[in-house]
Amino acid sequence: MCGIVGAVSLTGPRQFPEAVLQRMSDAIYHRGPDEGDSFQEPGISFGARRLAIIDVAHGHQPISNEDDSVVVAFNGELFDYPILREELLGRGHRLKTSCDTEAWAHLYEDQGEDVFLNAKGQFAACIWDRKERKLLLGRDRAGIAPLYYATVDGWLLWSSEIRGLLASEMLPIEPDRRGLDYYFNFFCLPNDRTCFAGIHMLPPGHQLMVRDGRVTKRCYWDLDFPDAGEERKFQQVENAEEELEHLLQESVKRRLISEVPVCCYISGGLDSTTVLGLVSRVRETPIQSFSIALNRSGPIDERDQAEESAKVLNCPLEVLSLDSEQIANSFPEQIMAAEGPVFDTSAACLMLLAKRVREMGYKVALTGEGADELLAGYVWFRYTHRFQIPGQPVQRFLRRLAPFAVGGGRSHQHPMNAFHGVRVAQQNSYDLIGQAREVLYSPDMWRDVGDYSPYDDVPGVAQERIKRWTPLNRSLYAGYKIMLPGLLLAAKSDRITMNSSIEGRYPFLDERVVEFCSQIDPNLKLHGKENKWLLRRVAARTLPPQIANRPKTMFRAYLTANFLGPNRPAWVDQLLSEESLRKTGYFRPDGVKVARQAQQSMKKRSLRKYILDTGLMGVISTQLWHQLYIDSSLADLPDWKQLQSARKLPV
């Protein structure tokens, strides 16, 4: 991974200030501490920070084609580059390096505006056609590599991170309350709107084109499923096992290509252990693995399972043990890195793990993200078949329960079929957890939210298409559109690995693996009550039964319990004070008091306690985000610039 920033004029060939571009580039230094450079001419200016992994000696950015008519800056990896390079040479292109960045310029020469459609990997790329005066910005299909943009003063600015845009000092820094409402409905960051007014994220599988002052956005790829009953079936399940195993193994091989040390993350779960098992099969030598132990700071500690897996696979394991104080104290940096509220406190654990990984000399880490969204790993998918028809008793019960779950007194429910005209398995949870808003939101917040529905901000296929899929595939699609890009890849992957200059790689999100999983019979994913059934059969070819058959567990730390103990940081009470809450205007002080008292006084688990726990964690992280990025007067904490400059950056 690397980082890119830039600006293109929408009103003619003006010169962009070099000092502004430098500030933007400096703000994302952590994404590429190895080197940085820029390209500038009237009408456009862009730069790149490089994390050198492939062709370390020569892969400088930005880079151009033979006649300098196409200039490129690139964040990410094209995992098919060894094959692409030979194909490009065979078609007469002349290449100066062995770095995949250079391929973009030549691929654009051959494919034009369809260049992203045929690209395989994880990327956010900027391609400038000097002859046509045309700019292309594109992002990978899953949304691994981030890319943000904004328009101001006749310029379109872009950056791998929002901080790059803010560092331009050209944009007003204001909250987007509808972006915050998206978060409080899904507890994930938006993937088009952000929490900053006027700043947008380019959604996964999308590209922007800028020409003659016009900006057009295009969806070049979307996840698709066969019509119900038309899914791919196999006469022998062993054939499906062999094909998935082959695809995953080849995906792992491609993601091991590197000139710098590579490691693996491992939890106690099936996904990361399968990746580690395939890596062990592909490599001739054991690979270093890393895991996290929760020292009384989470409901489940997976240390023993991780150690068992590493021992079986003969891989050295480094375990980072974290307690509540470490999690709470690191959360300001976590929110700074995510650039938005994050309710999942385990993200801070992963951020601290990335720091340890970098300290031990690694730049690349393979992880198991994506398998649950492709192969129905989460518990809510199990209920899809049983409760698929809107209006069934369980659905009606949940709809009636939601307004009274926390005693809010009124209800802001979304339509029964809110997700592109269908009801997905996750909506039951969204309807319930979203009720925390009834207790927490201020009248001003409700006014600003108005009739906004966050479901309208989720890109996706037309209603007539999604209604032809099986209910399970509809729910998998929702996970791929909401939780995967908004939480797993944003708050728990790229943003926190790159915070320590670590590139995360995700074998399950390989294009070929995604295509295979989307086309197969749903019964191969969810077989009775067995989730990820086909993957378990593949894992059994490499791992012993006690590992391949482990039940699904979600790696998570406690939510507000890690922030309300006697040794909590002083900023927690400051951010939750009546004065700070009234300053931000998002939340009712008395509602926050109710939620806080519920966590400290209710001893037993209950639906109400869980909803208020999730909501209060949202309040803490939102107030913290506001302190770091909007108004630093809420607590005795630095703002994002001070916090970023105080960090020890990788060398």
Short mmCIF file of all heavy atoms in Angstrom, two decimals, residues 293-344:
data_model
loop_
_atom_site.label_atom_id
_atom_site.label_comp_id
_atom_site.label_asym_id
_atom_site.label_seq_id
_atom_site.Cartn_x
_atom_site.Cartn_y
_atom_site.Cartn_z
N ALA A 293 -4.18 -11.39 22.74
CA ALA A 293 -4.82 -11.95 23.93
C ALA A 293 -5.51 -10.80 24.67
O ALA A 293 -4.92 -9.73 24.84
CB ALA A 293 -3.81 -12.64 24.82
N LEU A 294 -6.75 -11.02 25.06
CA LEU A 294 -7.51 -10.01 25.80
C LEU A 294 -7.43 -10.32 27.29
O LEU A 294 -8.00 -11.31 27.77
CB LEU A 294 -8.96 -9.99 25.33
CG LEU A 294 -9.16 -9.56 23.87
CD1 LEU A 294 -10.63 -9.67 23.48
CD2 LEU A 294 -8.66 -8.14 23.64
N ASN A 295 -6.70 -9.49 28.01
CA ASN A 295 -6.47 -9.68 29.43
C ASN A 295 -7.62 -9.07 30.22
O ASN A 295 -7.58 -7.90 30.59
CB ASN A 295 -5.13 -9.06 29.82
CG ASN A 295 -4.79 -9.27 31.28
OD1 ASN A 295 -5.41 -10.07 31.98
ND2 ASN A 295 -3.81 -8.52 31.77
N ARG A 296 -8.68 -9.85 30.40
CA ARG A 296 -9.89 -9.40 31.10
C ARG A 296 -10.49 -8.16 30.45
O ARG A 296 -11.13 -7.34 31.12
CB ARG A 296 -9.61 -9.16 32.59
CG ARG A 296 -9.22 -10.40 33.36
CD ARG A 296 -9.11 -10.13 34.85
NE ARG A 296 -8.07 -9.16 35.13
CZ ARG A 296 -6.77 -9.46 35.25
NH1 ARG A 296 -6.38 -10.71 35.09
NH2 ARG A 296 -5.88 -8.53 35.52
N SER A 297 -10.29 -8.01 29.15
CA SER A 297 -10.81 -6.84 28.43
C SER A 297 -11.78 -7.23 27.33
O SER A 297 -12.15 -6.40 26.51
CB SER A 297 -9.65 -6.03 27.84
OG SER A 297 -8.82 -6.84 27.03
N GLY A 298 -12.19 -8.49 27.31
CA GLY A 298 -13.14 -8.95 26.31
C GLY A 298 -13.83 -10.22 26.77
O GLY A 298 -13.34 -10.90 27.69
N PRO A 299 -14.97 -10.56 26.16
CA PRO A 299 -15.74 -11.72 26.60
C PRO A 299 -15.07 -13.05 26.28
O PRO A 299 -15.30 -14.05 26.96
CB PRO A 299 -17.06 -11.58 25.83
CG PRO A 299 -16.72 -10.76 24.64
CD PRO A 299 -15.65 -9.82 25.07
N ILE A 300 -14.24 -13.08 25.25
CA ILE A 300 -13.58 -14.32 24.84
C ILE A 300 -12.11 -14.02 24.55
O ILE A 300 -11.80 -13.08 23.84
CB ILE A 300 -14.24 -14.93 23.58
CG1 ILE A 300 -15.70 -15.26 23.85
CG2 ILE A 300 -13.49 -16.17 23.11
CD1 ILE A 300 -16.45 -15.74 22.62
N ASP A 301 -11.23 -14.84 25.10
CA ASP A 301 -9.80 -14.73 24.81
C ASP A 301 -9.41 -15.94 23.96
O ASP A 301 -9.54 -17.08 24.39
CB ASP A 301 -9.00 -14.70 26.11
CG ASP A 301 -7.51 -14.48 25.87
OD1 ASP A 301 -7.12 -14.31 24.70
OD2 ASP A 301 -6.75 -14.49 26.85
N GLU A 302 -8.93 -15.67 22.74
CA GLU A 302 -8.64 -16.73 21.79
C GLU A 302 -7.17 -17.15 21.79
O GLU A 302 -6.71 -17.83 20.87
CB GLU A 302 -9.05 -16.30 20.38
CG GLU A 302 -10.54 -16.01 20.24
CD GLU A 302 -10.91 -15.56 18.84
OE1 GLU A 302 -10.71 -14.38 18.53
OE2 GLU A 302 -11.39 -16.41 18.06
N ARG A 303 -6.43 -16.76 22.82
CA ARG A 303 -5.00 -17.07 22.86
C ARG A 303 -4.74 -18.57 22.72
O ARG A 303 -3.88 -18.99 21.93
CB ARG A 303 -4.38 -16.57 24.16
CG ARG A 303 -2.90 -16.93 24.31
CD ARG A 303 -2.47 -16.90 25.77
NE ARG A 303 -2.49 -15.57 26.32
CZ ARG A 303 -1.40 -14.81 26.46
NH1 ARG A 303 -0.23 -15.25 26.07
NH2 ARG A 303 -1.49 -13.62 26.99
N ASP A 304 -5.46 -19.39 23.48
CA ASP A 304 -5.19 -20.83 23.47
C ASP A 304 -5.43 -21.42 22.09
O ASP A 304 -4.65 -22.25 21.61
CB ASP A 304 -6.07 -21.54 24.50
CG ASP A 304 -5.68 -21.20 25.93
OD1 ASP A 304 -4.56 -20.67 26.13
OD2 ASP A 304 -6.49 -21.45 26.84
N GLN A 305 -6.52 -21.02 21.43
CA GLN A 305 -6.82 -21.54 20.10
C GLN A 305 -5.76 -21.11 19.09
O GLN A 305 -5.35 -21.88 18.23
CB GLN A 305 -8.20 -21.07 19.63
CG GLN A 305 -9.35 -21.65 20.44
CD GLN A 305 -9.76 -20.73 21.58
OE1 GLN A 305 -8.92 -20.09 22.21
NE2 GLN A 305 -11.07 -20.67 21.83
N ALA A 306 -5.32 -19.84 19.19
CA ALA A 306 -4.29 -19.35 18.27
C ALA A 306 -2.98 -20.11 18.48
O ALA A 306 -2.29 -20.48 17.52
CB ALA A 306 -4.08 -17.86 18.46
N GLU A 307 -2.62 -20.33 19.74
CA GLU A 307 -1.39 -21.06 20.03
C GLU A 307 -1.46 -22.49 19.53
O GLU A 307 -0.48 -23.04 19.00
CB GLU A 307 -1.11 -21.03 21.54
CG GLU A 307 -0.70 -19.64 22.03
CD GLU A 307 -0.48 -19.59 23.53
OE1 GLU A 307 -0.95 -20.52 24.23
OE2 GLU A 307 0.14 -18.62 24.01
N GLU A 308 -2.63 -23.12 19.67
CA GLU A 308 -2.80 -24.48 19.17
C GLU A 308 -2.62 -24.53 17.66
O GLU A 308 -1.93 -25.40 17.12
CB GLU A 308 -4.18 -25.02 19.55
CG GLU A 308 -4.43 -26.44 19.04
CD GLU A 308 -5.86 -26.90 19.27
OE1 GLU A 308 -6.76 -26.05 19.44
OE2 GLU A 308 -6.08 -28.13 19.26
N SER A 309 -3.24 -23.57 16.95
CA SER A 309 -3.15 -23.55 15.49
C SER A 309 -1.71 -23.32 15.04
O SER A 309 -1.21 -23.98 14.12
CB SER A 309 -4.05 -22.46 14.92
OG SER A 309 -5.41 -22.71 15.24
N ALA A 310 -1.03 -22.36 15.67
CA ALA A 310 0.35 -22.07 15.29
C ALA A 310 1.26 -23.27 15.54
O ALA A 310 2.15 -23.58 14.73
CB ALA A 310 0.86 -20.85 16.05
N LYS A 311 1.02 -23.98 16.63
CA LYS A 311 1.83 -25.15 16.95
C LYS A 311 1.60 -26.26 15.93
O LYS A 311 2.56 -26.89 15.46
CB LYS A 311 1.49 -25.65 18.36
CG LYS A 311 2.33 -26.83 18.81
CD LYS A 311 1.99 -27.23 20.24
CE LYS A 311 2.86 -28.39 20.70
NZ LYS A 311 2.54 -28.80 22.11
N VAL A 312 0.33 -26.50 15.57
CA VAL A 312 0.02 -27.54 14.59
C VAL A 312 0.69 -27.23 13.25
O VAL A 312 1.19 -28.13 12.56
CB VAL A 312 -1.51 -27.66 14.41
CG1 VAL A 312 -1.86 -28.44 13.15
CG2 VAL A 312 -2.13 -28.30 15.63
N LEU A 313 0.74 -25.96 12.89
CA LEU A 313 1.29 -25.55 11.59
C LEU A 313 2.78 -25.20 11.67
O LEU A 313 3.37 -24.74 10.69
CB LEU A 313 0.50 -24.36 11.05
CG LEU A 313 -0.97 -24.68 10.73
CD1 LEU A 313 -1.75 -23.40 10.46
CD2 LEU A 313 -1.07 -25.62 9.54
N ASN A 314 3.36 -25.39 12.85
CA ASN A 314 4.80 -25.18 13.04
C ASN A 314 5.21 -23.75 12.69
O ASN A 314 6.25 -23.52 12.05
CB ASN A 314 5.61 -26.17 12.19
CG ASN A 314 7.08 -26.20 12.59
OD1 ASN A 314 7.41 -26.01 13.77
ND2 ASN A 314 7.96 -26.43 11.63
N CYS A 315 4.39 -22.79 13.09
CA CYS A 315 4.67 -21.38 12.81
C CYS A 315 4.96 -20.63 14.11
O CYS A 315 4.22 -20.78 15.08
CB CYS A 315 3.48 -20.72 12.11
SG CYS A 315 3.20 -21.32 10.44
N PRO A 316 6.02 -19.85 14.15
CA PRO A 316 6.27 -19.04 15.35
C PRO A 316 5.14 -18.05 15.56
O PRO A 316 4.59 -17.50 14.61
CB PRO A 316 7.59 -18.34 15.03
CG PRO A 316 7.71 -18.36 13.55
CD PRO A 316 7.01 -19.60 13.09
N LEU A 317 4.79 -17.82 16.82
CA LEU A 317 3.65 -16.96 17.15
C LEU A 317 4.06 -15.91 18.17
O LEU A 317 4.65 -16.22 19.20
CB LEU A 317 2.50 -17.80 17.71
CG LEU A 317 1.27 -17.03 18.21
CD1 LEU A 317 0.57 -16.33 17.06
CD2 LEU A 317 0.31 -17.97 18.94
N GLU A 318 3.74 -14.66 17.87
CA GLU A 318 3.90 -13.55 18.80
C GLU A 318 2.51 -13.13 19.27
O GLU A 318 1.65 -12.79 18.45
CB GLU A 318 4.61 -12.37 18.11
CG GLU A 318 4.67 -11.11 18.93
CD GLU A 318 5.78 -11.13 19.97
OE1 GLU A 318 6.57 -12.10 19.98
OE2 GLU A 318 5.85 -10.18 20.79
N VAL A 319 2.27 -13.15 20.58
CA VAL A 319 0.97 -12.79 21.14
C VAL A 319 1.08 -11.48 21.89
O VAL A 319 1.92 -11.34 22.78
CB VAL A 319 0.44 -13.90 22.07
CG1 VAL A 319 -0.91 -13.48 22.66
CG2 VAL A 319 0.30 -15.22 21.32
N LEU A 320 0.23 -10.54 21.53
CA LEU A 320 0.17 -9.24 22.21
C LEU A 320 -0.99 -9.27 23.19
O LEU A 320 -2.15 -9.41 22.80
CB LEU A 320 -0.04 -8.13 21.18
CG LEU A 320 -0.16 -6.70 21.73
CD1 LEU A 320 1.14 -6.26 22.40
CD2 LEU A 320 -0.53 -5.72 20.62
N SER A 321 -0.69 -9.16 24.48
CA SER A 321 -1.72 -9.19 25.52
C SER A 321 -2.12 -7.76 25.88
O SER A 321 -1.27 -6.92 26.16
CB SER A 321 -1.19 -9.91 26.76
OG SER A 321 -2.19 -9.98 27.76
N LEU A 322 -3.44 -7.49 25.86
CA LEU A 322 -3.95 -6.14 26.07
C LEU A 322 -5.00 -6.12 27.16
O LEU A 322 -5.88 -6.98 27.21
CB LEU A 322 -4.55 -5.60 24.77
CG LEU A 322 -3.58 -5.46 23.59
CD1 LEU A 322 -4.34 -5.13 22.31
CD2 LEU A 322 -2.52 -4.41 23.87
N ASP A 323 -4.92 -5.11 28.02
CA ASP A 323 -5.93 -4.95 29.06
C ASP A 323 -6.80 -3.74 28.76
O ASP A 323 -6.60 -3.03 27.77
CB ASP A 323 -5.27 -4.83 30.45
CG ASP A 323 -4.31 -3.64 30.56
OD1 ASP A 323 -4.50 -2.63 29.84
OD2 ASP A 323 -3.36 -3.73 31.36
N SER A 324 -7.77 -3.49 29.63
CA SER A 324 -8.73 -2.42 29.39
C SER A 324 -8.08 -1.05 29.31
O SER A 324 -8.46 -0.21 28.48
CB SER A 324 -9.79 -2.41 30.50
OG SER A 324 -10.57 -3.59 30.46
N GLU A 325 -7.10 -0.80 30.17
CA GLU A 325 -6.46 0.51 30.17
C GLU A 325 -5.73 0.76 28.85
O GLU A 325 -5.77 1.87 28.30
CB GLU A 325 -5.48 0.62 31.34
CG GLU A 325 -6.16 0.71 32.70
CD GLU A 325 -5.16 0.92 33.81
OE1 GLU A 325 -4.29 1.81 33.68
OE2 GLU A 325 -5.24 0.18 34.81
N GLN A 326 -5.06 -0.25 28.34
CA GLN A 326 -4.35 -0.08 27.07
C GLN A 326 -5.33 0.22 25.93
O GLN A 326 -5.05 1.05 25.06
CB GLN A 326 -3.53 -1.33 26.76
CG GLN A 326 -2.34 -1.54 27.67
CD GLN A 326 -1.71 -2.91 27.49
OE1 GLN A 326 -2.33 -3.93 27.76
NE2 GLN A 326 -0.48 -2.93 27.01
N ILE A 327 -6.46 -0.48 25.93
CA ILE A 327 -7.45 -0.25 24.88
C ILE A 327 -8.00 1.17 24.96
O ILE A 327 -8.07 1.89 23.97
CB ILE A 327 -8.58 -1.29 24.98
CG1 ILE A 327 -8.04 -2.69 24.66
CG2 ILE A 327 -9.73 -0.93 24.05
CD1 ILE A 327 -9.03 -3.81 24.94
N ALA A 328 -8.40 1.58 26.18
CA ALA A 328 -8.98 2.92 26.34
C ALA A 328 -7.97 4.01 26.01
O ALA A 328 -8.29 4.99 25.32
CB ALA A 328 -9.51 3.08 27.76
N ASN A 329 -6.74 3.86 26.47
CA ASN A 329 -5.73 4.89 26.25
C ASN A 329 -5.33 5.01 24.78
O ASN A 329 -4.88 6.08 24.35
CB ASN A 329 -4.49 4.61 27.10
CG ASN A 329 -4.73 4.86 28.58
OD1 ASN A 329 -5.53 5.71 28.95
ND2 ASN A 329 -4.05 4.10 29.43
N SER A 330 -5.50 3.95 24.01
CA SER A 330 -5.12 3.98 22.60
C SER A 330 -6.26 4.46 21.70
O SER A 330 -6.05 4.69 20.51
CB SER A 330 -4.68 2.58 22.14
OG SER A 330 -5.77 1.68 22.13
N PHE A 331 -7.46 4.62 22.27
CA PHE A 331 -8.61 4.90 21.43
C PHE A 331 -8.56 6.25 20.70
O PHE A 331 -9.03 6.35 19.57
CB PHE A 331 -9.91 4.77 22.23
CG PHE A 331 -11.03 4.15 21.43
CD1 PHE A 331 -10.93 2.84 20.99
CD2 PHE A 331 -12.15 4.88 21.09
CE1 PHE A 331 -11.94 2.26 20.24
CE2 PHE A 331 -13.16 4.31 20.33
CZ PHE A 331 -13.06 3.00 19.90
N PRO A 332 -8.00 7.29 21.28
CA PRO A 332 -7.87 8.53 20.50
C PRO A 332 -7.09 8.32 19.20
O PRO A 332 -7.49 8.83 18.14
CB PRO A 332 -7.14 9.47 21.45
CG PRO A 332 -7.58 9.02 22.81
CD PRO A 332 -7.63 7.52 22.71
N GLU A 333 -6.02 7.57 19.26
CA GLU A 333 -5.27 7.31 18.03
C GLU A 333 -6.08 6.46 17.06
O GLU A 333 -6.01 6.64 15.85
CB GLU A 333 -3.93 6.64 18.34
CG GLU A 333 -3.06 6.49 17.11
CD GLU A 333 -1.67 5.94 17.41
OE1 GLU A 333 -1.30 5.86 18.60
OE2 GLU A 333 -0.95 5.58 16.45
N GLN A 334 -6.86 5.52 17.60
CA GLN A 334 -7.72 4.69 16.75
C GLN A 334 -8.73 5.56 15.99
O GLN A 334 -8.93 5.40 14.78
CB GLN A 334 -8.44 3.65 17.59
CG GLN A 334 -9.69 3.05 16.98
CD GLN A 334 -9.39 2.26 15.72
OE1 GLN A 334 -8.35 1.64 15.62
NE2 GLN A 334 -10.30 2.28 14.75
N ILE A 335 -9.38 6.48 16.69
CA ILE A 335 -10.37 7.35 16.04
C ILE A 335 -9.69 8.29 15.05
O ILE A 335 -10.23 8.58 13.97
CB ILE A 335 -11.15 8.15 17.10
CG1 ILE A 335 -11.94 7.19 18.02
CG2 ILE A 335 -12.12 9.13 16.44
CD1 ILE A 335 -12.94 6.32 17.30
N MET A 336 -8.48 8.76 15.39
CA MET A 336 -7.75 9.58 14.44
C MET A 336 -7.47 8.81 13.15
O MET A 336 -7.65 9.32 12.05
CB MET A 336 -6.43 10.04 15.04
CG MET A 336 -5.61 10.92 14.10
SD MET A 336 -3.88 11.14 14.61
CE MET A 336 -3.21 9.49 14.29
N ALA A 337 -7.07 7.55 13.29
CA ALA A 337 -6.74 6.74 12.11
C ALA A 337 -7.98 6.43 11.29
O ALA A 337 -7.94 6.48 10.05
CB ALA A 337 -6.06 5.45 12.55
N ALA A 338 -9.10 6.13 11.95
CA ALA A 338 -10.33 5.78 11.23
C ALA A 338 -11.03 7.00 10.65
O ALA A 338 -11.81 6.88 9.70
CB ALA A 338 -11.29 5.04 12.16
N GLU A 339 -10.78 8.19 11.22
CA GLU A 339 -11.36 9.45 10.75
C GLU A 339 -12.89 9.46 10.84
O GLU A 339 -13.58 10.13 10.08
CB GLU A 339 -10.90 9.76 9.32
CG GLU A 339 -9.40 9.90 9.21
CD GLU A 339 -8.91 10.11 7.80
OE1 GLU A 339 -9.53 9.57 6.86
OE2 GLU A 339 -7.90 10.80 7.61
N GLY A 340 -13.39 8.70 11.80
CA GLY A 340 -14.81 8.66 12.07
C GLY A 340 -15.04 7.85 13.32
O GLY A 340 -14.13 7.18 13.83
N PRO A 341 -16.25 7.88 13.88
CA PRO A 341 -16.54 7.09 15.08
C PRO A 341 -16.41 5.59 14.81
O PRO A 341 -16.71 5.11 13.72
CB PRO A 341 -17.99 7.46 15.40
CG PRO A 341 -18.28 8.69 14.63
CD PRO A 341 -17.42 8.64 13.42
N VAL A 342 -15.96 4.86 15.83
CA VAL A 342 -15.81 3.40 15.75
C VAL A 342 -16.34 2.82 17.06
O VAL A 342 -15.79 3.12 18.11
CB VAL A 342 -14.35 2.98 15.53
CG1 VAL A 342 -14.24 1.46 15.49
CG2 VAL A 342 -13.78 3.59 14.26
N PHE A 343 -17.38 2.00 16.97
CA PHE A 343 -17.92 1.43 18.21
C PHE A 343 -17.18 0.16 18.62
O PHE A 343 -17.15 -0.20 19.79
CB PHE A 343 -19.42 1.13 18.04
CG PHE A 343 -19.73 -0.27 17.60
CD1 PHE A 343 -20.14 -1.23 18.51
CD2 PHE A 343 -19.59 -0.64 16.27
CE1 PHE A 343 -20.41 -2.53 18.11
CE2 PHE A 343 -19.85 -1.92 15.86
CZ PHE A 343 -20.28 -2.88 16.78
N ASP A 344 -16.56 -0.53 17.66
CA ASP A 344 -15.91 -1.81 17.92
C ASP A 344 -14.54 -1.57 18.51
O ASP A 344 -13.58 -1.25 17.82
CB ASP A 344 -15.81 -2.60 16.61
CG ASP A 344 -15.38 -4.05 16.84
OD1 ASP A 344 -14.82 -4.33 17.92
OD2 ASP A 344 -15.59 -4.88 15.94
#
